[in-house]
Amino acid sequence: MCGIIGISSDKPVSASIINSLKKLEYRGYDSAGIATLSDGNINEVKSKGRVSNLERNFDIKNLKGNIGIGHVRWATHGIPNSVNAHPHSSHNVSVVHNGIIENSTILKKDLINKGHNFKSQTDTEVIVHLITENLKTTELEEAITKTLNQLQGSFALGVVFKDIPDLIVGARRGSPLAVGYGPNENYLGSDSYALKSMTNKITYLNDSEFCIIKKNQINFFNDKGKKINKKILELSSNELSSEKGDFKHFMAKEIEEQPTTVKTGINEYIDNVNKDINIFNFPWKIEEIKSITLIGCGTAYHSCLMAKYWFEEFTSLDVNIDIASEFRYRKIRFKKESLYIFVSQSGETADTYAALDLCKKNKMKTCAVVNVIESSIARDSNFVLPIHCGPEIGVASTKAFLGQMLILYILALKFGSLKNEIEKNNYQEKINDLKNLPSLIEKTLLVDNDIQNASSTFNDAKGSMFLGRGFSYPIALEGALKLKELSYVHAEGYPAGEMKHGPLALIEEGMPVVVLAPRDSYYKKTISNMQEVIARGAKVLLITNKSKDEVISENIWETIEVENTNDDLLPFLLTIPLQKLAYYSALKKGYDIDKPRNLAKSVTVE
Ligand code: AGP
């Protein structure tokens, strides 16, 4: 996914654009670029790598112009280099783009036949020349409408014009885009985070809409080029600042924030007066819901898998889960009494949004569990359950994972209560246990040295396994994903009971294996699986909960103990050491922890 910014102002814009691009880097950081308009010219500068390279390579401060666009790229078509970096420009049009143009090849052929010269390997450059071609015969709004109708695929666009140097055009289909209102200037941005440092008043474009932004006026149009009115939102103010503060990395800050964010989530949904859970204005009667399908990608999918165990524990509901990129192409037997829950930190993940769109087209009940309440998935679902974690900037998701699990746990408990399938006292007890969770997370965060020491072994190994059963299995998957995405070493999460059906062959002398074995109902079986891998030479990092009983096994390389709580809540605590293990592994390798290679914070392309 990429990041877009545009500013139309009564003063020079290059510094503000660069500052906004730095805030957008979590959306993509293969390359960056900026284009401003001044003295009848398009001033385009671009560079490979980070925005800081752009600043270093060019004299950005002297880049003139009170109107401009900027872009940070996560490559889809064309390798990351300065030629493929955005903006892309013709002699009179310059464009930044987030998305994929699916018919770019055929359009490019036609434009080349009409004499257009292409410099890059990107699909985006087709948009530049299409607009340039259409402007030869039509006025601006008609040229834009015509161009958008010729494009197939997804886009969020920012466009400036050499011959119309007082406006920016923005357009959206499938990739998020917002406008912001400032004093004597107005803005275009991929998301609210990019705009927050300049304004707290924004409007989101919906699919097939476009806008024309001047420094003192913004107009919106529908896909037929007809002017439309849209409301101005006040940005949600997050008490958690979106800066690093004293932390070395956003990820470190977001790991440490988890007691606060979990406490915020609990306070949002637990009604202390009535000792009950409040899921505000839930739009359906519980009797209308006979089954649930939870859908997400990556870490969000792991919280779906975790939730399946809880819904099955507390209710008699039929619970399905699916990876969004699989769900969207399945032949689903939609049933009206099903509830579809979409889990997404950013609320902009293309596959998850496409899965939501499929459910909406089939008139299904849809509920979003998101961190960004102004996001597309939130806006287009029937019902939203925010996770209230504040901005999560580190690409590797940490506090949002615990936030997603928390809200799904609370929802499962509430459904059990509404269906009278949880005994009243048990329900109250679980609510009380929940209130202790933030302090237990706080204490678990203190377990640090042993994890730091263990992390080198994972770095030096050619691969590792993360094993768990029952409630611990989704956490094993999440721990392996964290290690993979941060330290670039192979790690595989696996059901502990499945090792003997093949993967045990992978185990060799000195191979690091994380075993999640809290003293829950799966404990004894997981310990015997642990002994199977120890017997074959594995170096086992055992993660369990504190107990007066010794672990019934020897030759365990390291043991990490998390605080005690009821079995349902142990997954929250088991996650913490795994987040730290991945963090310290990457730290020792000197890798970019907040922006791991090849990744982006929210993948808004397929
Ligand atoms: C998490 O560490 C990953 N960066 C990634 O798997 C992420 O969870 C996934 O892309 C889904 O993103 P979303 O929650 O914003 O939809």
Side-chain angles (χ1 to χ4, degrees):
M1 151 204 95
C2 308
I4 287 174
I5 187 72
I7 303 178
S8 175
S9 177
D10 61 353
K11 59 184 185 299
V13 295
S14 60
S16 301
I17 288 177
I18 291 294
N19 184 41
S20 298
L21 287 180
K22 286 177 181 169
K23 290 189 174 303
L24 279 166
E25 268 195 319
Y26 75 100
R27 297 175 64 91
Y29 31 91
D30 294 327
S31 56
I34 177 174
T36 63
L37 300 180
S38 67
D39 311 327
N41 298 314
I42 295 176
N43 317 306
E44 179 195 279
V45 284
K46 310 192 284 189
S47 73
K48 184 179 178 198
R50 294 299 185 65
V51 176
S52 51
N53 292 354
L54 192 65
E55 279 186 301
R56 258 199 306 278
N57 297 352
F58 302 94
D59 185 2
I60 292 288
K61 282 173 278 313
N62 294 334
L63 197 63
K64 292 197 295 183
N66 293 358
I67 193 161
I69 50 179
H71 185 270
V72 286
R73 186 170 182 241
W74 183 71
T76 55
H77 291 63
I79 57 171
N81 61 23
S82 58
V83 173
N84 290 330
H86 302 204
H88 291 283
S89 306
S90 65
H91 68 283
N92 63 339
V93 176
S94 189
V95 171
V96 288
H97 168 226
N98 175 27
I100 292 183
I101 303 305
E102 291 167 358
N103 60 337
S104 59
T105 307
I106 192 162
L107 290 171
K108 186 169 181 174
K109 272 204 191 94
D110 180 49
L111 289 160
I112 289 170
N113 290 339
K114 287 176 178 164
H116 291 265
N117 298 315
F118 286 77
K119 293 174 273 201
S120 79
Q121 305 159 301
T122 67
D123 54 338
T124 302
E125 202 177 355
V126 163
I127 304 170
V128 179
H129 293 287
L130 205 50
I131 295 175
T132 303
E133 184 64 23
N134 289 333
L135 277 174
K136 287 177 185 169
T137 54
T138 54
E139 292 306 310
L140 176 66
E141 289 158 25
E142 201 182 328
I144 294 299
T145 307
K146 185 176 178 188
T147 303
L148 300 184
N149 291 329
Q150 289 169 294
L151 298 176
Q152 290 170 18
S154 63
F155 52 77
L157 297 178
V159 193
V160 291
F161 306 83
K162 179 169 76 76
D163 306 322
I164 323 171
D166 68 338
L167 60 83
I168 300 171
V169 166
R172 176 205 155 136
R173 185 197 297 159
S175 294
L177 195 62
V179 301
Y181 304 82
N184 308 315
E185 59 184 22
N186 287 317
Y187 317 104
L188 181 72
S190 294
D191 59 24
S192 57
Y193 182 57
L195 300 174
K196 267 188 181 181
S197 58
M198 300 181 288
T199 178
N200 70 343
K201 293 179 179 57
I202 60 169
T203 296
Y204 283 90
L205 275 79
N206 292 323
D207 277 350
S208 306
E209 293 176 350
F210 69 90
C211 60
I212 295 178
I213 300 171
K214 294 183 179 178
K215 65 185 178 188
N216 48 18
Q217 183 190 51
I218 300 180
N219 287 313
F220 298 96
F221 302 83
N222 66 17
D223 58 341
K224 304 220 177 12
K226 187 172 169 307
K227 211 178 262 191
I228 54 176
N229 292 318
K230 290 182 71 68
K231 63 177 187 284
I232 298 176
L233 300 174
E234 298 272 332
L235 277 184
S236 62
S237 61
N238 285 302
E239 60 280 10
L240 297 161
S241 96
S242 43
E243 297 308 327
K244 263 189 294 204
D246 299 337
F247 289 92
K248 198 168 160 54
H249 301 102
F250 276 109
M251 182 180 176
K253 170 175 173 277
E254 289 152 8
I255 288 173
E256 295 300 322
E257 268 176 352
Q258 293 178 116
T260 306
T261 52
V262 166
K263 190 171 185 176
T264 304
I266 289 166
N267 293 342
E268 285 290 328
Y269 290 96
I270 302 296
D271 172 351
N272 285 315
V273 173
N274 302 311
K275 298 204 180 329
D276 196 354
I277 287 170
N278 193 342
I279 45 174
F280 314 92
N281 314 318
F282 188 69
W284 303 289
K285 288 192 181 59
I286 196 66
E287 296 76 25
E288 296 175 76
I289 297 168
K290 297 285 182 275
S291 70
I292 291 177
T293 298
L294 298 127
I295 297 161
C297 299
T299 288
Y301 170 70
H302 295 155
S303 54
C304 294
L305 177 57
M306 187 70 248
K308 175 178 170 69
Y309 285 90
W310 287 325
F311 276 101
E312 289 171 347
E313 184 78 13
F314 305 144
T315 77
S316 60
L317 287 168
D318 177 27
V319 187
N320 309 298
I321 54 171
D322 213 338
I323 292 169
S325 53
E326 292 297 312
F327 178 87
R328 62 183 291 192
Y329 296 112
R330 260 193 232 292
K331 289 188 174 44
I332 308 288
R333 274 71 174 165
F334 286 108
K335 299 187 190 73
K336 69 176 173 41
E337 68 277 3
S338 297
L339 170 63
Y340 291 83
I341 300 175
F342 300 88
V343 183
S344 174
Q345 188 284 132
S346 63
E348 299 297 350
T349 298
D351 286 319
T352 312
Y353 186 76
L356 167 62
D357 196 41
L358 177 64
C359 291
K360 284 174 62 190
K361 286 194 172 96
N362 286 277
K363 302 190 180 2
M364 290 293 114
K365 301 177 186 74
T366 57
C367 169
V369 174
V370 296
N371 194 27
V372 182
I373 54 175
E374 307 100 345
S375 63
S376 307
I377 290 171
R379 291 207 313 279
D380 291 358
S381 294
N382 298 126
F383 183 62
V384 183
L385 288 168
I387 67 172
H388 299 289
C389 285
E392 183 179 71
I393 307 305
V395 166
S397 191
T398 48
K399 63 176 181 175
F401 177 56
L402 259 64
Q404 290 159 3
M405 288 206 289
L406 175 71
I407 303 319
L408 291 167
Y409 178 78
I410 285 172
L411 189 65
L413 266 185
K414 184 65 180 178
F415 276 24
S417 166
L418 290 173
K419 292 172 67 65
N420 299 314
E421 290 176 336
I422 294 186
E423 195 272 322
K424 185 104 177 112
N425 290 340
N426 188 16
Y427 178 63
Q428 297 294 336
E429 202 178 299
K430 288 187 183 299
I431 290 178
N432 285 332
D433 287 346
L434 199 51
K435 282 191 245 174
N436 298 328
L437 187 58
S439 59
L440 293 174
I441 293 171
E442 196 113 51
K443 288 191 192 115
T444 303
L445 281 166
L446 298 176
V447 179
D448 203 80
N449 288 340
D450 293 347
I451 299 166
Q452 275 201 60
N453 299 336
S455 61
S456 316
T457 302
F458 286 82
N459 282 345
D460 305 338
K462 67 181 182 187
S464 59
M465 300 288 294
F466 287 65
L467 308 179
R469 278 179 181 258
F471 288 175
S472 300
Y473 168 43
I475 309 307
L477 296 178
E478 175 61 12
L481 175 63
K482 286 280 131 346
L483 190 64
K484 278 185 278 221
E485 65 179 324
L486 285 157
S487 59
Y488 316 158
V489 291
H490 185 71
E492 190 167 7
Y494 224 81
E498 271 291 284
M499 286 298 285
K500 51 190 174 295
H501 301 292
L504 203 55
L506 283 173
I507 305 299
E508 56 192 34
E509 193 58 37
M511 179 179 188
V513 175
V514 173
V515 175
L516 301 174
R519 288 173 172 80
D520 58 12
S521 54
Y522 306 92
Y523 175 67
K524 287 207 172 64
K525 290 198 174 12
T526 310
I527 292 294
S528 55
N529 296 145
M530 178 185 76
Q531 286 160 334
E532 287 159 12
V533 297
I534 290 177
R536 289 157 177 86
K539 281 183 84 168
V540 164
L541 171 61
L542 170 63
I543 302 183
T544 183
N545 53 325
K546 285 180 180 168
S547 163
K548 59 188 181 321
D549 308 329
E550 277 302 300
V551 177
I552 40 175
S553 172
E554 60 276 342
N555 299 331
I556 298 171
W557 167 47
E558 279 287 351
T559 299
I560 304 276
E561 291 187 328
V562 300
E563 296 300 314
N564 262 319
T565 179
N566 74 46
D567 291 357
D568 315 334
L569 299 179
L570 280 170
F572 291 89
L573 304 182
L574 296 170
T575 301
I576 306 295
L578 301 183
Q579 294 172 340
K580 291 195 162 200
L581 178 68
Y583 177 80
Y584 286 123
S585 295
L587 192 64
K588 284 185 179 158
K589 289 192 147 186
Y591 290 165
D592 189 328
I593 286 172
D594 287 332
K595 300 183 183 74
R597 69 182 182 192
N598 308 338
L599 301 182
K601 183 59 185 169
S602 166
V603 185
T604 59
V605 291
E606 274 206 48

